[in-house]
C-alpha cells in the first residue's frame, strides 16, 4: 500500500499527550493528523481512573487556561471531585477528580471528532521520513503508507519496546492487550538519540461486588464539586463515594516471603521505577518499619463493578497477588478481575530537546509525554499541549512559544526535563516550583490565557469567558484598594487591629477574616454582589501580600538571567576559569540562557561568572 497523506502536523499516539497535542495543533489552524494503533483506545486511562492531584491539578488548570481538553473531559466524566490540601494555603491546594474511565475516553474522542482541522488514522508508525536538509518530512507506517508533514510529534507513552512483567511472566506490549512499538525505538536509535529504560506499574483490578464496604472508611467527595474548567458551569455527572483500607502485617509478611519472585528484585527488570509512586513490594522493603500503607479503593465508573485499589501497584506473581489481597481489611473475599503488572519501556533523554520540546537533532520533530521520562496523565497532557502549539508554529514558519518557570508549572516541568534530564519517572510536585505563591491553580487562566490567545491556541468561546472573568477580577482588585476604614471602624466590626491611625483597606482585613466575610460585609455591603471567584482573588492577594512583593523581585532577577542568551555554537572549551567538569556539563546541555546554565547540576557561581565574562567580552 503506497497511499500518501499530507498534513502540516502529524501526531503519533492517542494517549493523553497525543490527544492534547493533536487538539492544540488543530486549534492553532494546522492541518493535523493523529495516528493511533486503535481509534477505540484514544483517551484511554491506562492506569488510575483519576485526573489532578497535588501539583498535577495545577497542570490541568494550566492546560484548560490554554484551551486544552483535559479539564473539560474530566468535568464531563468525573464521579468524585476533591480539593486536596484544602486546609492549607491556596498555593499548594490540588484539585483532583475520580473519573468514569469509559466516559472519560468517550468524551475525549468526542472532543477530537468535533475539532476542526483534525483527521484520525489507525496505523503503526515505524519510521521517520527525513528530507535532504536533515529536517522532518513525515512518518512511514508499518504497512507502507506514508504520512507527509512539516512537523511530527511522538507521544509513544510506554510503547517504545514495552515489556510487561507479572512474576516470571513477561511479554512485549505497550500496555495490556496492545503491541509494543519496536520499529520506532530502533528508528530513534538509528538517528543517534540517547535512550534509557524506565518502569512503571499498576495494581490489580478488583470486583467491587466482592468487597466488604461496611468494614471500610468512607471517603466522600466535595459538595458541591468544583469543576476544573472555567467553561464548565456545574458538574452534572452523578457523584459516588470512595473507600479507604490499608495493608496489614500479614500483607507485608506475604510480600516479604515472595520478594525473590518479584521481577524488580529478581533482576528481570532493569528500568528505574517511580520513586514517588512505588510498588507495594518497594514500600515494604523501603519502609520496613511501617506496619501498614493506606489503600484508596476507587470505582472505575458508574456502570462497572471494577475498583482500582490505589496504593498497591505490583508485579508479583498472580498467586502472590491473590494471597496478599486476601489479608487486607474489606478484601478478604475480593475477586481479582485483572492482575497488576509492571511495564518497562524506552524513553529519550529529554536533554536532547529545547524548551519548545523540539529535538535538536532533527528540526521539526517534537517529543511529548512519557517518551521524555515523565509519569502521569497530567504531565503528558501538558507536554502534548506545548508540543502541539509549537509544532503548528514550526509548520507555519513561526517562532516557538516557551513557558518559563515564573509563569507556569508547564514551564517548571519542561525546564526541569530539558535542563537537568531525569533518570527516574518525573512527577510534578508543588515543591518543584520556586514561585508557587504566584503559580496557583486558582489563577492559571489569569496567568496564561492571554499568552495562549497570542499563540493562536485559544478559541473565541474561551476568550470571551476569560475576558469577562479577568475584568471582574480587575474591578474587584481596584475596589479593594479603594475601600478603606479607620482602625476604630475596623475594631467596631470585630477586627483586632492596632489604633495606629493607619487606615485599612479590604486587602488588609480580608487576610485576617479567614474566609468569613460577615465582618467584611458589615463594613462594605457592596462586596456581596461581587462574583465569588473575584472575591477569592482578593482574599488570596491579601493573605500573600507581604510575600508577593519579594517574589516579584525574585522573578525580575530570574528574568534578567533568562534574557541573557548564550550563543548556540558557544565553544565551552575556550572559556577560561571553567573546570573540565563544567566544560563537559555545559557542552552536553548546550544551555540557551545564563539562567538555564545556572540550573544545570553542579554548576557553581564561579563557573557562571566565568561564563558571563566570556559572553560579554565576545559581545563587546
Amino acid at each position: 500500500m503506497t497511499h500518501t497523506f499530507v498534513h502540516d502536523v502529524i501526531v503519533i499516539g492517542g494517549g493523553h499527550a497525543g490527544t492534547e497535542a493533536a487538539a492544540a495543533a488543530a486549534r492553532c489552524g494546522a492541518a493535523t493528523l493523529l495516528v493511533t494503533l486503535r481509534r477505540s483506545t484514544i483517551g484511554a486511562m491506562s492506569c488510575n481512573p483519576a485526573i489532578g492531584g497535588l501539583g498535577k491539578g495545577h497542570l490541568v488548570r494550566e492546560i484548560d487556561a490554554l484551551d486544552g481538553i483535559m479539564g473539560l473531559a474530566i468535568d464531563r466524566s468525573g464521579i468524585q471531585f476533591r480539593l486536596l490540601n484544602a486546609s492549607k494555603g491556596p498555593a499548594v491546594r490540588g484539585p483532583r477528580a475520580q473519573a468514569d474511565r469509559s466516559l472519560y475516553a468517550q468524551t475525549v474522542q468526542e472532543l477530537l471528532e468535533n475539532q476542526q482541522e483534525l483527521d484520525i488514522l489507525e496505523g503503526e508508525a515505524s519510521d521517520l521520513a527525513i528530507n535532504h536538509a536533515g529536517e522532518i518530512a513525515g512518518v512511514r507506517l508499518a504497512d507502507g503508507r506514508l504520512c507527509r508533514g512539516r512537523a511530527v510529534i511522538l507521544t509513544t507513552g510506554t510503547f517504545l519496546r514495552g515489556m510487561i512483567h507479572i512474576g516470571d511472566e513477561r511479554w512485549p506490549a505497550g500496555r495490556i492487550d496492545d503491541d509494543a512499538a519496536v520499529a520506532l525505538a530502533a528508528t530513534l536509535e538509528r538517528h543517534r538519540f540517547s535512550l534509557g529504560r524506565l518502569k512503571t506499574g499498576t495494581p490489580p483490578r478488583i470486583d467491587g461486588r466482592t468487597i466488604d464496604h461496611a468494614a471500610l472508611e468512607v471517603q466522600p467527595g466535595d459538595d458541591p464539586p468544583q469543576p476544573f474548567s472555567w467553561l464548565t458551569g456545574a458538574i452534572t455527572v452523578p457523584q459516588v463515594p470512595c473507600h479507604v483500607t490499608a495493608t496489614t502485617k500479614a500483607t507485608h509478611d506475604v510480600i516479604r516471603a515472595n520478594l525473590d519472585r518479584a521481577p524488580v528484585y529478581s533482576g528481570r527488570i532493569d528500568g528505574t521505577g517511580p520513586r514517588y509512586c512505588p510498588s507495594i513490594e518497594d514500600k515494604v522493603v523501603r519502609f520496613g518499619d511501617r506496619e501498614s500503607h493506606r489503600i484508596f479503593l476507587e470505582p472505575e465508573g458508574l456502570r462497572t463493578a471494577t475498583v482500582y485499589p490505589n496504593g498497591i501497584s505490583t508485579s508479583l506473581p498472580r498467586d502472590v497477588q491473590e494471597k496478599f489481597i486476601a489479608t487486607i481489611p474489606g478484601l478478604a473475599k475480593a475477586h481479582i478481575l485483572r492482575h497488576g503488572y509492571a511495564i518497562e519501556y524506552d524513553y529519550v533523554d529529554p536533554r536532547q530537546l529545547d524548551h519548545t520540546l523540539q529535538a535538536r537533532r532533527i528540526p521539526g520533530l517534537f517529543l511529548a509525554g512519557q517518551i521524555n521520562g515523565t509519569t502521569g496523565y497530567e504531565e503528558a497532557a501538558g507536554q502534548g499541549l506545548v508540543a502541539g502549539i509549537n509544532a503548528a508554529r514550526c509548520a507555519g514558519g513561526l517562532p516557538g512559544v516557551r513557558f518559563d518557570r515564573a509563569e507556569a508549572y508547564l514551564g517548571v516541568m519542561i525546564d526541569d526535563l530539558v535542563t537537568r534530564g531525569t533518570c527516574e519517572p518525573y512527577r510534578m510536585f508543588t515543591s518543584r516550583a520556586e514561585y508557587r505563591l504566584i503559580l496557583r491553580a486558582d489563577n492559571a487562566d489569569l496567568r496564561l490565557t492571554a499568552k495562549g490567545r497570542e499563540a493562536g491556541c485559544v478559541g473565541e468561546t474561551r476568550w470571551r469567558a476569560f475576558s469577562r472573568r479577568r475584568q471582574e477580577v480587575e474591578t474587584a482588585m481596584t475596589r479593594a484598594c479603594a475601600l478603606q476604614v479607620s482602625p476604630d471602624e475596623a475594631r467596631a466590626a470585630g477586627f483586632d487591629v492596632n489604633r495606629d491611625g493607619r487606615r485599612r483597606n479590604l486587602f488588609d482585613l480580608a487576610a485576617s477574616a479567614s474566609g468569613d466575610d460577615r465582618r467584611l460585609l458589615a463594613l462594605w455591603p457592596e462586596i456581596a454582589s461581587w462574583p465569588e471567584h473575584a472575591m477569592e482573588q482578593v482574599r488570596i492577594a491579601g493573605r500573600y501580600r507581604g510575600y508577593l512583593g519579594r517574589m516579584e523581585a525574585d522573578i525580575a532577577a530570574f528574568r534578567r538571567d533568562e534574557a541573557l542568551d548564550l550563543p548556540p555554537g558557544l565553544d565551552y572549551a575556550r572559556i577560561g576559569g571553567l573546570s573540565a567538569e563544567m566544560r563537559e556539563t555545559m557542552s552536553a546541555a548546550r544551555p540557551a540562557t545564563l539562567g538555564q546554565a545556572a540550573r544545570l547540576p553542579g554548576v557553581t557561581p564561579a563557573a557562571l561568572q566565568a561564563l558571563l565574562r566570556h559572553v560579554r567580552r565576545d559581545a563587546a
Side-chain angles (χ1 to χ4, degrees), residues 8 45 103 114 118 144 163 269 311 354 368 386 495 516-517 534 590 593 602:
D8 296 321
M45 304 179 105
L103 183 55
N114 293 326
L118 177 60
M163 182 70 69
I269 291 180
D354 65 21
V386 173
F495 289 97
D516 180 1
D517 290 346
R590 310 301 308 174
T593 67

Side-chain angles (χ1 to χ4, degrees), residues 35-167:
V35 179
T36 180
L37 288 172
R38 286 191 290 155
R39 195 180 186 116
S40 61
T41 60
I42 288 175
M45 304 179 105
S46 303
C47 194
N48 63 310
I51 295 293
L54 301 179
K56 292 170 174 283
H58 291 70
L59 288 173
V60 182
R61 286 279 175 83
E62 292 181 353
I63 291 165
D64 183 70
L66 294 165
D67 219 3
I69 64 175
M70 180 169 269
L72 290 171
I74 188 58
D75 285 351
R76 298 177 191 180
S77 61
I79 56 178
Q80 187 190 94
F81 289 74
R82 294 178 62 227
L83 183 63
L84 307 185
N85 275 353
S87 62
K88 297 184 179 180
V92 294
R93 294 172 187 163
R96 185 181 190 271
Q98 283 296 122
D100 181 309
R101 188 188 292 276
S102 61
L103 183 55
Y104 182 89
Q106 176 187 325
T107 303
V108 170
Q109 291 170 26
E110 289 173 354
L111 289 169
L112 294 187
E113 287 165 2
N114 293 326
Q115 176 64 59
Q116 295 181 351
E117 301 289 350
L118 177 60
D119 297 321
I120 300 173
L121 177 69
E122 287 190 338
E124 179 189 351
S126 61
D127 202 359
L128 300 175
I130 310 294
N131 64 22
H132 294 300
E135 302 165 335
I136 201 74
V139 174
R140 190 170 296 281
L141 305 186
D143 60 10
R145 289 179 292 178
L146 178 64
C147 302
R148 293 196 179 277
R150 297 182 177 89
V152 170
I153 308 173
L154 297 183
T155 68
T156 54
T158 58
F159 280 68
L160 283 183
R161 276 198 285 247
M163 182 70 69
I164 283 180
H165 297 262
I166 303 178

Side-chain angles (χ1 to χ4, degrees), residues 207-352:
D207 187 337
R209 295 166 297 190
T210 63
I211 295 174
D212 181 8
H213 291 95
L216 303 176
E217 172 190 344
V218 179
Q219 185 181 65
D222 293 342
D223 187 17
Q226 295 300 308
F228 272 90
S229 176
W230 282 105
L231 294 185
T232 302
I235 301 300
T236 58
V237 181
Q239 302 292 286
V240 301
C242 295
H243 291 80
V244 184
T245 183
T247 59
T248 64
K249 181 180 181 299
T251 313
H252 297 186
D253 288 343
V254 170
I255 292 170
R256 286 194 187 96
N258 290 278
L259 284 175
D260 60 322
R261 301 177 65 194
V264 72
Y265 289 103
S266 65
R268 295 176 68 87
I269 291 180
D270 296 323
T272 304
R275 187 188 348 166
Y276 303 106
C277 188
S279 65
I280 186 59
E281 47 265 42
D282 281 338
K283 290 180 183 178
V284 169
V285 171
R286 287 166 51 187
F287 309 107
D289 57 330
R290 292 275 300 273
E291 294 189 356
S292 69
H293 297 277
R294 280 164 68 84
I295 304 168
F296 299 89
L297 300 175
E298 302 171 343
E300 293 206 349
L302 299 173
R303 295 177 178 84
T304 178
T306 306
V307 170
Y308 181 95
N310 195 339
I312 52 171
S313 170
T314 184
S315 61
L316 284 162
R318 299 173 195 265
D319 63 306
V320 179
Q321 293 186 38
E322 304 270 358
K323 288 178 184 176
F324 83 67
I325 286 289
T327 66
I328 297 170
L331 306 185
K333 298 180 179 180
H335 173 62
I336 294 178
L337 297 172
R338 193 183 81 196
H339 290 85
Y341 63 87
I343 184 164
E344 193 178 16
Y345 56 95
D346 285 352
Y347 79 106
V348 173
D349 186 336
R351 291 175 294 182
Q352 298 165 98

